[in-house]
Amino acid sequence: MTEFDAATAAVQAALDAGARYADARVMHRRYESMTARNGDVEELTQDESIGLGVRALVGSSWGFHAVPDLSDAAARDAGQRAARTAMASARVPGPSVDLVPVEAVTASWASGCQIDPLGVPLSTKGDLLVGATRTMAEHGADLAEGLYQIWDTAKWFVSSDGHRIDQRIRECGGGISATSIGDGETQRRSWPSYRGQYGTTGWELVESLDLAAHAAQIAEESRALLTAPPCPAGETDLILGGEQMALQIHESVGHAIELDRILGWEAAFAGTSWLDLAQLGSLRYGSELMNITIDPTIPGALGSFGFDDEGSPAVKRDAVRDGRWVGVLAGRDSAAMASLDYGGSVRADGWARLPMVRMTNVGLEPGPHTLEEIIAATDDGVLMDLNRSWSIDDKRLNFQFGCEVGWEIKKGRRGRMLRNPTYTGIGPLFWRSMDMLSDETVSWGTPNCGKGQPGQTGHTGHPAAPARFRNVRVGVSA
């Protein structure tokens, strides 16, 4: 049995058992990660799995079954079980479930990769992390950590509509962090992000991060933060660096525009959304500088693919245009429920998980300014960057975020470093206050987005650049 044979057998068995639609995914994933601490390799993880997951639609209900076995008998049994589960669920009356039409294709797709990350010797990878953490420790860090992660995933997808698609997606990335401990105070600085930078690319991404070259500086900055003055409390102009902007987009836009949340399908665990479909196309989400796209076609970005896990092709769409909410992240069923004509944002984090609506690359298009111009135009404010903590309500509306580092801005100049910078806001009011946006866009990768029951970890991308927001509440009052 080939992978396509197994998927085809599962789909046919589901149809024979009464499903009106079925699809199956075979996934083979290899994973590797390494962590180092204070000059020593601490942990090496290597994992490999392969299996088949099949969905069956009966009436208004889905059924799903997965097996770590690609034999003909196991595949057919999985299809039958998925159909029986759907039938059992369909006994409870529910709204009719249709699927947005998608052209059935036979296709192959692979992400770009110059250096196979799993082919790089472990000694080379270990030397990189050991050297960087040793340098951080030598420059004052009490806890110096480094890590990398690699995923190599092959998929084979078959549907009763006629899809036959195979994809290979290689993802990797890494980063370092330095933690310094003082009298009643602990501070951390990271490079290039608080969890590292990731993409659908090869080991060349990790090499481009130049971890060793930044190790000394972030260790020294973590030490300096111990005695830096605290971020003052009050309302002021806030400039967010690009990495923090990526999290701001992820939490207050990306999750909010997931259609399953908007429809209430995720209310049990991950929450809903403050957005109302009746306002799609008319709601003022932010200022006219706010142009958010959903774009899984960006080469190398972590949320990129050729086809989603329903066989929908990767297509760039607008989510917010000139500040107005115009699009959502959707699947074929949720889109049909909302009378939309597109899906394309459904993925699962493995063969044993049911595909669901997930972010792809959700990000801001660049603005007309530079960070230097934004700082120069700010008379009184705070610049914050690199996420340290986040909290947002289950409607993705009210938020509080903390950053690793801040800088005082006075009369157009960056001044003293500030520790424990925080800010809070309400999504649409915050985005409507954005009046300057940089053109220095980076596609930040987020490899740990959680959603679903049972929980799934999604890989998402967020093109982002520094921006200024007016009259934002920052700091914590004594």
Side-chain angles (χ1 to χ4, degrees):
M1 292 279 286
T2 68
E3 292 85 1
F4 274 131
D5 289 340
T8 300
V11 168
Q12 189 58 54
L15 296 177
D16 292 344
R20 62 186 176 95
Y21 168 85
D23 59 36
R25 292 170 299 109
V26 173
M27 293 181 66
H28 177 203
R29 172 170 288 168
R30 293 183 293 164
Y31 172 75
E32 180 181 293
S33 69
M34 183 185 293
T35 58
R37 177 176 292 181
N38 291 357
D40 293 304
V41 172
E42 184 171 69
E43 184 177 7
L44 170 66
T45 300
Q46 293 176 313
D47 184 58
E48 183 172 5
S49 69
I50 187 168
L52 175 147
V54 55
R55 298 192 307 172
L57 181 59
V58 175
S60 61
S61 298
W62 286 104
F64 178 76
H65 194 78
V67 291
D69 185 346
L70 302 188
S71 68
D72 182 72
R76 291 185 180 280
D77 182 63
Q80 293 168 1
R81 287 174 179 268
R84 287 201 296 268
T85 300
M87 286 179 181
S89 299
R91 293 172 186 164
V92 179
S96 175
V97 173
D98 296 314
L99 301 178
V100 169
V102 175
E103 180 184 0
V105 297
T106 298
S108 295
W109 186 87
S111 58
C113 178
Q114 296 176 27
I115 304 173
D116 179 6
L118 291 177
V120 177
L122 286 174
S123 58
T124 300
K125 300 168 186 172
D127 288 346
L128 172 65
L129 298 185
V130 165
T133 58
R134 185 171 293 154
T135 297
M136 288 186 288
E138 291 170 350
H139 284 77
D142 294 297
L143 179 61
E145 297 177 296
L147 83 159
Y148 73 77
Q149 296 184 86
I150 299 166
W151 300 263
D152 189 337
T153 305
K155 301 182 183 183
W156 296 263
F157 176 80
V158 172
S159 80
S160 58
D161 284 346
H163 291 91
R164 188 179 175 91
I165 300 168
D166 65 274
Q167 300 186 82
R168 186 179 182 189
I169 301 174
R170 284 182 278 198
E171 306 159 296
C172 72
I176 54 176
S177 65
T179 302
S180 295
I181 302 170
D183 185 12
E185 189 76 33
T186 300
Q187 293 293 332
R188 184 189 70 211
R189 286 288 284 125
S190 307
W191 175 265
S193 167
Y194 76 99
R195 67 167 72 84
Q197 169 66 318
Y198 298 84
T200 52
T201 183
W203 191 251
E204 61 273 11
L205 171 60
V206 177
E207 291 183 344
S208 73
L209 301 177
D210 206 358
L211 302 180
H214 293 87
Q217 179 181 347
I218 69 164
E220 291 165 359
E221 288 185 359
S222 74
R223 201 90 221 155
L225 279 168
L226 292 174
T227 54
C231 177
E235 286 194 359
T236 190
D237 291 344
L238 172 66
I239 302 172
L240 289 184
E243 193 269 358
Q244 179 62 25
M245 277 291 288
L247 180 87
Q248 184 71 53
I249 294 165
H250 181 99
E251 299 292 349
S252 68
V253 181
H255 279 307
I257 63 172
E258 291 169 336
L259 186 53
D260 55 350
R261 288 177 181 270
I262 296 170
L263 293 173
W265 295 0
E266 270 289 299
F269 180 67
T272 57
S273 172
W274 67 275
L275 293 170
D276 182 344
L277 273 178
Q279 296 179 300
L280 183 63
S282 61
L283 175 73
R284 173 64 65 181
Y285 207 124
S287 73
E288 292 186 356
L289 284 173
M290 187 184 186
N291 293 295
I292 299 280
T293 60
I294 300 165
D295 188 3
T297 70
I298 300 172
L302 190 60
S304 295
F305 49 79
F307 299 84
D308 78 348
D309 284 351
E310 294 186 308
S312 298
V315 175
K316 180 180 179 179
R317 302 186 188 280
D318 284 342
V320 178
R321 178 54 54 186
D322 299 327
R324 204 167 299 280
W325 176 43
V326 296
V328 298
L329 294 152
R332 295 180 66 187
D333 54 356
S334 57
M337 181 75 70
S339 299
L340 302 174
D341 62 358
Y342 60 88
S345 300
V346 166
R347 291 185 290 166
D349 77 349
W351 55 266
R353 291 291 182 262
L354 182 68
M356 64 171 65
V357 175
R358 300 308 301 258
M359 282 180 251
T360 62
N361 297 311
V362 178
L364 265 174
E365 291 188 343
H369 311 107
T370 66
L371 176 58
E372 289 72 22
E373 289 171 343
I374 296 173
I375 292 173
T378 303
D379 186 59
D380 184 69
V382 178
L383 167 62
M384 301 185 193
D385 203 11
L386 269 74
N387 179 254
R388 184 174 182 179
S389 65
W390 66 95
S391 174
I392 190 165
D393 68 16
D394 62 0
K395 287 183 176 292
R396 300 289 152 168
L397 183 61
N398 298 281
F399 61 83
Q400 302 174 72
F401 295 141
C403 296
E404 286 187 1
V405 63
W407 289 273
E408 189 177 62
I409 305 298
K410 292 291 186 183
K411 297 181 179 179
R413 294 181 179 273
R414 185 190 303 216
R416 58 184 181 166
M417 183 184 292
L418 302 174
R419 64 182 164 93
N420 302 333
T422 63
Y423 67 100
T424 185
I426 299 173
L429 299 180
F430 181 78
W431 285 106
R432 292 169 195 169
S433 76
M434 182 172 67
D435 71 336
M436 295 188 79
L437 175 63
S438 171
D439 59 0
E440 301 152 283
T441 299
V442 172
S443 290
W444 294 96
T446 300
N448 64 334
C449 175
K451 186 179 177 182
Q453 288 177 283
Q456 298 190 38
T457 301
H459 294 183
T460 67
H462 302 291
R468 186 176 74 175
F469 300 84
R470 306 304 298 271
N471 302 317
V472 177
R473 182 166 293 279
V474 305
V476 179
S477 297

